[in-house]
Amino acid sequence: MIETPFFLGISWVTVIYLVILLVLLLFSALASASETAFFSLLPNDINDMENSDRRSDKLVLELRNNPKRFLATILITNNLVNVTITIFSTYIMARMFNLAANPVWAFIINVVVITSLLLIFGEMIPKITAAKRARALSTALAPTISVLVVIFKPLSNLLIKSTMIIDKRLAKKNANTLSISDLTTAVDITTAEETPSEERSMLQGIATFGEKEVSDIMQPRVQLFAVKNTTKFDHLLEMIIDNGFSRIPVYEETLDEIKGILYVKDLLPHLEEPDFKWQTLLRPAFFVPENKKINDLFQDFRAKKIHIAIVVDEYGGTSGLVTMEDVLEEIVGDISDEFDVVAENQNYKKIDDKTYIFQAQTSLVDFCKVFEINELYFEDIKGESDTLAGLILEKEGRIPQAGFSTSYKEFVFQIVKADKRRIIEIKVIYNEKTDE
């Protein structure tokens, strides 16, 4: 009896099937890449597409505007291709190898090898590449996907309708849930036109109070006034007079090593003591994470009877400082005192009714207050940014140099001063829309 060899050889038919298999693997990769590319577009890319006359850009926006149809088409295409790959690979392996003679190798080839090829070349590599080149791939694939949407429309209709039951059940569970955007819109609708802007801002502040985080309202590290614990008493008094703060963080070597908070009122009995050891008066610092909700912080302030907290990042480093006044201003608006004039002039300077010069580190919350606009105004492009400089970096994806100009809605931003590492000053031109 002649034993059949394990390897049966490669015929011309097998070569043709292998070529078809590679083409199918390419289709699987393109399907996976298109899903990632379309939903990895940056706000700046979308804005450019909206202003573009190219048909491919218009197709991308049309597909994005109907995400259920788009995803259903991609899902159907990818699954059909992957099933076909599995069938072809099984047939090719049966022609090349005597799988019945060695079941272990049959399992390894049919399952492990083919699955690995699909995962690596059909999923992982295409999606990583698509995330980095989202704009180019989405515009290149848009015409083909538009054709597939038409071809698979009956199947995608069936898939979309089959998910409506789940959507309706989830909708019932969340029927009483209002988003912050809904609450803000409700405030705009229910307040009359003659309602003072201060009252309208207060209502909007109450509506959004529970969703804001400490990082949205804190004074950033670069604007933090603190003193070193080795500072001499006479010099400390000079610094206090120059800056006018009543509570001052004290650090050891760097701002990441906050040792306590100095209350200026505690120094009053010792003003006539030139060598007084003021470090003995330090009170414990209260540390809070950046993502702490400000309504929770407000309750902590009340419970601990304190008015200041040091904000720390995920690594324990100092990110900034937040006070009770910062929290209350989110509801009642700016609380002015004798020192706020100086602080305001440090944040921005008004040139005329439409032109301002802002410090780049001005928070977006404060920026919106200056122009009396909704705090969600920049929601589409701000990403994770909290400051005016961060907004421009998020929009442009780079550090622009002095003289650079960009716009968003009614605002034009011009970089006045910048270096290689950061933006310093920004000119803002506000062309407010008026009802004709």
Side-chain angles (χ1 to χ4, degrees), residues 298-360:
F298 180 67
Q299 297 301 328
D300 287 342
F301 277 158
R302 292 184 60 192
K304 298 178 182 293
K305 294 181 172 58
I306 56 177
H307 292 77
I308 188 171
I310 304 298
V311 185
V312 295
D313 59 24
E314 58 185 315
Y315 304 106
T318 300
S319 294
L321 177 146
V322 64
T323 65
M324 176 71 89
E325 181 179 333
D326 295 325
V327 176
L328 293 176
E329 282 182 345
E330 292 307 305
I331 297 179
V332 302
D334 289 336
I335 302 174
S336 300
D337 58 31
E338 63 272 25
F339 300 109
D340 282 347
V341 175
V342 176
E344 184 177 1
N345 290 338
Q346 290 176 349
N347 286 335
Y348 75 93
K349 179 170 64 175
K350 185 175 181 179
I351 306 301
D352 54 44
D353 290 340
K354 294 184 177 181
T355 310
Y356 297 73
I357 300 293
F358 275 86
Q359 292 297 313

Side-chain angles (χ1 to χ4, degrees), residues 357-426:
I357 300 293
F358 275 86
Q359 292 297 313
Q361 296 304 316
T362 302
S363 72
L364 291 177
V365 173
D366 291 340
F367 181 84
C368 291
K369 288 178 181 177
V370 171
F371 293 98
E372 296 182 354
I373 58 178
N374 193 296
E375 291 178 9
L376 300 176
Y377 187 89
F378 298 103
E379 193 68 22
D380 291 341
I381 63 168
K382 82 181 194 74
E384 299 296 324
S385 62
D386 298 315
T387 65
L388 196 55
L391 175 73
I392 294 176
L393 293 176
E394 189 78 28
K395 183 176 184 296
E396 299 302 323
R398 61 189 179 89
I399 301 176
Q401 297 303 304
F404 175 83
S405 179
T406 186
S407 61
Y408 179 74
K409 295 183 180 179
E410 290 86 25
F411 288 96
V412 176
F413 303 99
Q414 297 177 357
I415 309 302
V416 177
K417 188 186 296 184
D419 56 29
K420 293 181 179 180
R421 301 193 322 177
R422 63 191 179 107
I423 304 171
I424 300 171
E425 281 187 355
I426 303 169

